[in-house]
Amino acid sequence: MTTGHVFIATSLDGYVARKDHALDWLTKQPNIEGEDGGFSAFMAKVDGLIMGSGSFRTLLGFDQWIYTKPVIVLSNSLTDEDIPAHLKYKVRLSRSQPEALMQELKQEGWKRAYVDGGRIVQSFLRQGLITELTITSIPILIGEGISLFGAVEADIDLELLNSRQLATNMLQATYRVV
Amino acid sequence: MTTGHVFIATSLDGYVARKDHALDWLTKQPNIEGEDGGFSAFMAKVDGLIMGSGSFRTLLGFDQWIYTKPVIVLSNSLTDEDIPAHLKYKVRLSRSQPEALMQELKQEGWKRAYVDGGRIVQSFLRQGLITELTITSIPILIGEGISLFGAVEADIDLELLNSRQLATNMLQATYRVV
């Protein structure tokens, strides 16, 4: 089956976005030329992305579509008409359940999928579909928002693979789900 | 005024204890002889501790009282009769508000107070009484519990001072409140 990989930034109090999906607290952080926190290297190793409709709408709000690899949007409400014309060959909607999707992607030759967005990551984690998480912790407390993590049926043990301080005052750690 | 310092372990999903205050997920972690994660060095630099009644009750459940420095328990419900005889000279109850308490402690010569326990840390943070936090992140997701962080009136910016991986597969980071 295709394995799920997470590469995400959270506030120190564990949020990936404010309640209204805003990322102002993240984008206000210092940007250092040439320091992408390992994002390009991570992207080079995945076959495509899986995200929810919330993340997709946030991305549509940016000036440019930032991904070159195929994106699958998991949504029961969106239809093909919600996909802008210039993204028809880059974005695909799916109503599959997470595990079924990972089986389908395996058939299509995907080895590794970048799983993105708070709610989607939570549901893939609960179903044992995430292999590795790289979490970049932003030194700010925002108090409320969309959590990276949620309820779990049983404790999930992880192994800390590595960590590093980025030049941008952020702490990045990579964990493997045991 | 006395400054507040936090030294605490959280699950990767940000909990300091399960809902019932249980720490089994923490105590099951590997213990490595001689690796105390910098706790002794931290303790040596504080004049005493401030905690809530929840943390206090958890400590009373341990075989031995683990602190040599004075402990102040902030509680509106506990009375002196709730303090076991052998702790009369080690533990003191207070009903002061956080800022007033820090002023009182300053008068008593305290420079640095170790502020402990989820709810107490949250209220001291909201009132700007925390200067530094050392957070040891345990590689486990427990899904629910008592959060280290809670609501804030406005974003709180932090500076990452340092970080290190402990031999025990934990990631420890120290932040200064900006």
Side-chain angles (χ1 to χ4, degrees):
Chain A
M1 198 155 45
T2 304
T3 56
H5 302 259
V6 173
F7 190 102
I8 204 159
T10 72
S11 61
L12 182 62
D13 45 358
Y15 300 108
V16 297
R18 294 196 199 268
K19 275 186 171 174
D20 61 358
H21 293 269
L23 297 173
D24 58 293
W25 55 275
L26 178 59
T27 51
K28 81 163 190 180
Q29 300 298 322
N31 219 329
I32 292 178
E33 186 75 27
E35 170 63 278
D36 79 343
F39 185 70
S40 309
F42 173 82
M43 278 303 291
K45 289 194 285 182
V46 298
D47 299 291
L49 297 87
I50 301 169
M51 64 180 64
S53 55
S55 300
F56 179 58
R57 287 203 186 89
T58 301
L59 285 171
L60 286 182
F62 294 168
D63 292 341
Q64 280 195 308
W65 185 252
I66 57 176
Y67 297 120
T68 50
K69 300 209 174 176
V71 171
I72 291 166
V73 179
L74 279 179
S75 170
N76 287 319
S77 56
L78 293 179
T79 67
D80 286 339
E81 290 168 14
D82 295 309
I83 311 293
H86 69 286
L87 296 178
K88 292 281 183 212
Y89 299 100
K90 293 182 171 170
V91 175
R92 187 170 97 206
L93 292 174
S94 169
R95 296 187 177 197
S96 297
Q97 291 302 304
E99 188 165 342
L101 176 65
M102 293 305 238
Q103 296 285 10
E104 291 161 28
L105 292 176
K106 172 74 176 170
Q107 299 296 321
E108 295 180 25
W110 287 36
K111 284 188 180 136
R112 298 158 60 104
Y114 174 6
V115 180
D116 200 28
R119 271 166 293 202
I120 295 289
V121 170
Q122 285 183 24
S123 92
F124 277 64
L125 254 179
R126 268 198 298 272
Q127 292 171 66
L129 301 170
I130 301 294
T131 298
E132 252 181 53
L133 303 101
T134 295
I135 301 169
T136 303
S137 183
I138 313 300
I140 189 171
L141 303 175
I142 64 173
E144 58 172 21
I146 299 170
S147 291
L148 172 56
F149 298 115
V152 291
E153 275 164 42
D155 292 351
I156 296 176
D157 287 304
L158 305 159
E159 183 191 350
L160 176 62
L161 296 180
N162 58 64
S163 68
R164 64 188 182 118
Q165 288 181 222
L166 305 184
T168 45
N169 191 27
M170 299 168 189
L171 180 57
Q172 186 177 77
T174 300
Y175 292 92
R176 183 175 71 81
V177 177
V178 176
Chain B
M1 199 154 49
T2 303
T3 56
H5 303 259
V6 173
F7 190 102
I8 205 160
T10 72
S11 61
L12 183 62
D13 45 359
Y15 300 109
V16 296
R18 294 197 198 269
K19 275 187 171 173
D20 61 358
H21 292 270
L23 298 174
D24 58 293
W25 55 276
L26 178 60
T27 51
K28 81 163 190 180
Q29 300 297 322
N31 218 329
I32 291 177
E33 186 74 26
E35 170 63 276
D36 79 341
F39 186 70
S40 308
F42 174 82
M43 279 303 291
K45 290 194 285 181
V46 299
D47 299 290
L49 298 87
I50 300 169
M51 64 180 63
S53 55
S55 300
F56 179 57
R57 286 203 187 89
T58 301
L59 285 171
L60 286 181
F62 295 168
D63 291 341
Q64 280 194 307
W65 184 253
I66 57 175
Y67 297 120
T68 51
K69 300 208 174 178
V71 171
I72 291 165
V73 179
L74 279 178
S75 169
N76 288 321
S77 57
L78 294 180
T79 67
D80 286 339
E81 290 168 16
D82 295 309
I83 311 293
H86 68 287
L87 296 177
K88 293 281 183 213
Y89 299 100
K90 292 182 170 167
V91 175
R92 188 170 95 207
L93 292 175
S94 170
R95 297 188 174 195
S96 297
Q97 292 301 307
E99 187 164 344
L101 176 64
M102 293 305 237
Q103 296 285 8
E104 291 160 27
L105 292 175
K106 172 73 176 170
Q107 299 297 319
E108 295 180 27
W110 287 37
K111 284 187 179 137
R112 299 157 59 104
Y114 174 7
V115 180
D116 200 28
R119 273 166 291 202
I120 296 288
V121 170
Q122 285 184 24
S123 92
F124 276 64
L125 254 179
R126 269 198 298 271
Q127 292 173 66
L129 300 171
I130 301 294
T131 299
E132 251 181 55
L133 302 100
T134 295
I135 301 169
T136 303
S137 183
I138 314 299
I140 188 171
L141 304 175
I142 64 173
E144 59 172 19
I146 300 170
S147 289
L148 172 56
F149 299 116
V152 291
E153 276 164 41
D155 293 351
I156 296 177
D157 288 305
L158 304 161
E159 181 191 352
L160 176 62
L161 295 180
N162 58 65
S163 68
R164 63 187 182 119
Q165 289 181 222
L166 305 185
T168 46
N169 191 26
M170 299 167 188
L171 180 57
Q172 186 176 76
T174 299
Y175 292 92
R176 184 175 71 83
V177 177
V178 177

